[in-house]
Amino acid sequence: MFKAPRGTQDILPEDQNHWRVVEAKATEVCRLFQYKRIDTPIFEQTELFLRGVGEGTDIVEKQMYTFEDRGGDRITLRPEGTAPICRAYIEHGMHNQPQPVRLYYTGPIFRYERPQKGRMRQHHQFGVEAIGSSDPVFDAQVIDLAWRFYRSLGLKGLTLQLNSIGCSDCRPDYLAALGYYYSDHVNNLCPDCSMRRLRSPLRLLDCKNASCQDTVTGAPRILDYLCQPCGSHFEELKGYLDKRRIGYELNPYLVRGLDYYTRTVFEIQPAEVRGQSAIGGGGRYDNLIEQLGGRPTPAVGFATGLERIIMNLQNQGIRSEDVWVGRKVFVVYADEAGKREVLAIAATLQDNNISATFTSGDYSLKSQMRQAGSSGSPWVIVVGQDEVSKDSVVLRNMAKGTQEETSLGNAIKQIGRQRPSDWPVDR
RNA sequence: GUGGGCGUAGCCCAGAGGCUUAAGGCGCCAGGUUGUGGCCCUGGAGAUCGAGGGUUCGAAUCCCUCCGUCCACCCCA
């Protein structure tokens, strides 16, 4: 039997309400902030990610879906959203527009990983980018947007972790200090950290290994090494967040896995931290556009995983309602004469913007009613020989268990009068 | 990529070498007399016991391999 490939999943009809609501909230908050949608291809030249994400990162080293196409080009399914958008910014000359250019996207992301709950080979992200300004007000706006997005979904217990990892001026000084410090602790490092010390020293800081924790605690802190411009950038950002009353935790050990980040980095963590901690994250990437061949262009962005959001919505028992509840009708037939009318009745309802369905095959009236009941339709219309000859229908209110014989036009009026407070619970 | 747990009908699961013709619940289907759902009652369909190989007179039950899934590490969304 065929199965969905490892690390992928079908999003079934019963989960779609969550997905549609999350997407709707994402586009709604972006409209509110006047960020414009952009869609880029789901595959790009491999080189874009090699240069954008960084050769030494896990993503590039072992997580990319890369293949050669029939023309011999090296192609990679996008493992993240920011580099493609920067490519589009450069390619379409967006530096000629008022800066920063503010964009958002949503769609599938591919990483070859060992799947777990909340960690898949194909997942979906929603992200925003503000490209072309180094002003910390945009770091704050991106965080503000993210925060409003989560709040609009009703997610509780989120925490914002915040840090600055400096720029190409001050980070080398810090790395030197860090290297000097760690050279005294080489013997009590875990094997992973021994590797990190040489290859990506910043990531020494978020090792969870107990034996390394003490070493991390005594390590120099990057915030003490920020150059003056980075320091005041960070102070300004915190000022904006304070003024917006967005709470954050300063986390001097927060380091992100992609090489392009500069200055601001942040992560949003859900209430129940199990395994995969972050539900979303982002930061500033002032050198990326230049690395990709554009002119020097500072930028800041944020991305969040939709599967993880939905997991958290479900954990917190948050329902996503079907907006059509209340305007849904199930048409059932009592006999052959009625059966012949079912499609036309449904069509008339649909002409009046009422959602309508019916069943087929040889289901008994009783069985059709059962199906209508479990479909969650608040209304049922019954037709048979009697109604056909009188040009009427039976309109049944499923919640009340009452029904009346009336014209189809009158039935439509009644359904249209249904108020949201009268809606039954969706199923 | 490393280590570990688990894989029995669409879903949740019992069974731990012969008494299993693999049990139960949810869901599905049909009935409980005339054209009506949700509760209840009765009946029914649905399982190559994840796949392949091995041990044995006999395997869902033991062994091996693979696949899938979950957990930890790694890392991230």
Side-chain angles (χ1 to χ4, degrees):
Chain A
M1 198 167 72
F2 290 112
K3 291 178 178 171
R6 183 163 207 208
T8 69
Q9 62 171 171
D10 300 311
I11 302 169
L12 297 171
E14 57 261 38
D15 299 322
Q16 289 289 344
N17 278 356
H18 276 307
W19 281 85
R20 301 286 73 83
V21 165
V22 170
E23 278 193 7
K25 294 288 186 189
T27 57
E28 190 181 308
V29 74
C30 285
R31 285 229 171 85
L32 220 43
F33 281 72
Q34 299 186 24
Y35 279 58
K36 305 256 171 68
R37 178 162 181 134
I38 182 168
D39 289 283
T40 63
I42 61 168
F43 58 82
E44 297 272 356
Q45 287 179 47
T46 299
E47 183 66 20
L48 174 68
F49 299 114
L50 297 185
R51 287 214 275 169
V53 177
E55 304 257 10
T57 59
D58 279 16
I59 289 180
V60 165
E61 278 192 344
K62 47 191 189 190
Q63 298 186 333
M64 295 207 305
Y65 274 94
T66 297
F67 59 96
E68 196 171 284
D69 71 12
R70 287 167 187 267
D73 291 332
R74 299 285 290 166
I75 296 295
T76 295
L77 302 184
R78 67 176 178 203
E80 60 100 42
T82 301
I85 286 180
C86 291
R87 191 224 79 227
Y89 175 93
I90 298 165
E91 181 174 341
H92 300 289
M94 294 188 203
H95 63 273
N96 289 311
Q97 299 175 22
Q99 304 294 300
V101 173
R102 283 169 265 192
L103 302 169
Y104 80 93
Y105 62 93
T106 175
I109 299 285
F110 304 87
R111 290 181 202 165
Y112 187 87
E113 308 207 55
R114 184 123 179 208
Q116 290 181 25
K117 199 176 192 68
R119 200 171 81 182
M120 280 155 297
R121 291 182 176 178
Q122 176 180 351
H123 75 280
H124 297 78
Q125 289 187 9
F126 156 56
V128 303
E129 317 286 353
I131 305 173
S133 170
S134 59
D135 195 312
V137 75
F138 295 110
D139 304 48
Q141 186 181 46
V142 161
I143 292 171
D144 188 25
L145 187 159
W147 208 247
R148 189 182 290 262
F149 169 61
Y150 291 125
R151 209 179 48 200
S152 75
L153 291 168
L155 284 178
K156 300 269 193 301
L158 298 180
T159 58
L160 172 64
Q161 305 264 316
L162 190 65
N163 193 23
S164 173
I165 57 171
C167 65
S168 45
D169 283 341
C170 52
R171 201 181 322 162
D173 294 342
Y174 173 68
L175 290 177
L178 192 65
Y180 180 75
Y181 170 80
Y182 267 90
S183 62
D184 282 347
H185 296 81
V186 186
N187 355 353
N188 21 12
L189 292 180
C190 69
D192 286 332
C193 279
S194 301
M195 286 291 288
R196 292 191 184 105
R197 195 172 75 85
L198 305 169
R199 302 204 50 185
S200 48
L202 267 189
R203 274 191 269 164
L204 287 164
L205 297 176
D206 68 347
C207 182
K208 284 120 195 156
N209 198 314
S211 63
C212 296
Q213 283 300 320
D214 293 344
T215 316
V216 171
T217 315
R221 308 218 164 178
I222 189 154
L223 291 179
D224 300 328
Y225 286 78
L226 295 183
C227 59
Q228 196 277 326
C230 284
S232 57
H233 183 98
F234 197 50
E235 289 307 312
E236 279 186 62
L237 167 59
K238 287 189 290 184
Y240 284 121
L241 294 178
D242 291 340
K243 194 164 181 182
R244 278 290 292 115
R245 293 171 191 263
I246 294 174
Y248 52 85
E249 283 176 24
L250 288 180
N251 180 351
Y253 308 121
L254 178 63
V255 177
R256 310 217 70 227
L258 293 84
D259 279 357
Y260 52 62
Y261 285 110
T262 54
R263 293 188 165 173
T264 311
V265 291
F266 61 91
E267 265 179 22
I268 289 96
Q269 296 177 350
E272 282 179 53
V273 182
R274 269 184 43 217
Q276 9 350 98
S277 51
I279 193 171
R284 181 161 277 286
Y285 48 95
D286 288 342
N287 304 326
L288 177 56
I289 306 253
E290 188 177 6
Q291 274 163 28
L292 295 178
R295 61 181 62 178
T297 307
V300 60
F302 154 80
T304 187
L306 302 190
E307 281 82 355
R308 288 189 184 177
I309 288 176
I310 288 166
M311 274 175 51
N312 279 276
L313 288 174
Q314 288 169 338
N315 284 345
Q316 296 184 16
I318 297 170
R319 307 267 312 250
S320 296
E321 300 297 339
D322 177 354
V323 296
W324 281 93
V325 169
R327 295 179 66 84
K328 276 166 59 175
V329 178
F330 201 109
V331 185
V332 306
Y333 56 87
D335 49 36
E336 278 300 312
K339 185 176 177 183
R340 283 193 289 272
E341 299 303 315
V342 144
L343 180 67
I345 290 172
T348 304
L349 292 164
Q350 289 150 357
D351 287 343
N352 287 277
N353 203 30
I354 291 165
S355 163
T357 189
F358 51 83
T359 185
S360 67
D362 302 315
Y363 289 112
S364 64
L365 181 55
K366 180 183 187 128
S367 172
Q368 293 181 66
M369 288 301 295
R370 268 204 268 261
Q371 290 182 45
S374 65
S375 78
S377 294
W379 300 101
V380 165
I381 282 179
V382 189
V383 274
Q385 182 60 59
D386 289 358
E387 289 75 21
V388 171
S389 57
K390 288 191 276 183
D391 197 22
S392 67
V393 297
V394 168
L395 176 65
R396 182 175 178 82
N397 180 321
M398 292 297 270
K400 291 182 186 158
T402 57
Q403 65 184 42
E404 61 173 317
E405 188 173 348
T406 181
S407 70
L408 182 55
N410 191 41
I412 287 166
K413 276 188 206 137
Q414 280 206 47
I415 295 163
R417 272 203 295 273
Q418 184 87 350
R419 307 223 323 273
S421 58
D422 301 327
W423 293 354
V425 177
D426 187 27
R427 27 178 59 249

